[in-house]
Amino acid sequence: MQSSGSQTKQADKVCEWVDLERQIEEDEAKVKEIIETIEMLKSYESAVLYHRYRFDKSLGEVARDIGWSYSKVSKMHGSGLRRVQRILDERKARD
């Protein structure tokens, strides 16, 4: 026979697990939305953001991989982030 303290600990662990599952689902939905938004950008902005965040590369690494200057990659990164934010803000305003 389990004590009530042991049962409480098990119940707490189950609740914790359910909360983690819910958080993972929410995070996956956010990631999917952001990836879809990045895909809506101009190809060069999309390429920079995708390499930067999907592959966790520095802007210098992205510049080297794509064959652009660091300055150009930095500008594309900034303009891409602004466009993503604008699109997300517009979606939020509609919902």
Side-chain angles (χ1 to χ4, degrees):
M1 176 182 246
Q2 292 183 344
S3 68
S4 63
S6 177
Q7 288 175 344
T8 300
K9 286 180 184 179
Q10 287 177 340
D12 288 347
K13 290 294 182 186
V14 169
C15 289
E16 187 177 315
W17 179 76
V18 169
D19 289 342
L20 287 172
E21 285 285 320
R22 186 177 308 121
Q23 186 63 49
I24 289 169
E25 288 174 8
E26 290 173 7
D27 290 349
E28 287 174 343
K30 288 176 187 176
V31 168
K32 183 179 179 207
E33 179 183 20
I34 291 169
I35 289 172
E36 288 172 354
T37 303
I38 288 172
E39 290 172 349
M40 295 171 62
L41 302 178
K42 296 176 181 175
S43 62
Y44 49 86
E45 291 171 337
S46 177
V48 169
L49 292 180
Y50 193 77
H51 279 80
R52 170 67 182 99
Y53 296 105
R54 180 68 174 101
F55 300 118
D56 194 30
K57 294 188 175 191
S58 69
L59 293 181
E61 291 171 320
V62 173
R64 187 182 63 242
D65 291 352
I66 295 177
W68 294 344
S69 70
Y70 178 87
S71 176
K72 182 174 183 175
V73 167
S74 180
K75 288 177 186 175
M76 294 302 104
H77 179 258
S79 66
L81 288 178
R82 285 188 296 276
R83 285 182 196 269
V84 166
Q85 188 62 58
R86 190 169 30 246
I87 292 168
L88 293 174
D89 289 345
E90 289 171 359
R91 283 185 189 159
K92 188 175 181 180
R94 284 193 311 253
D95 294 341

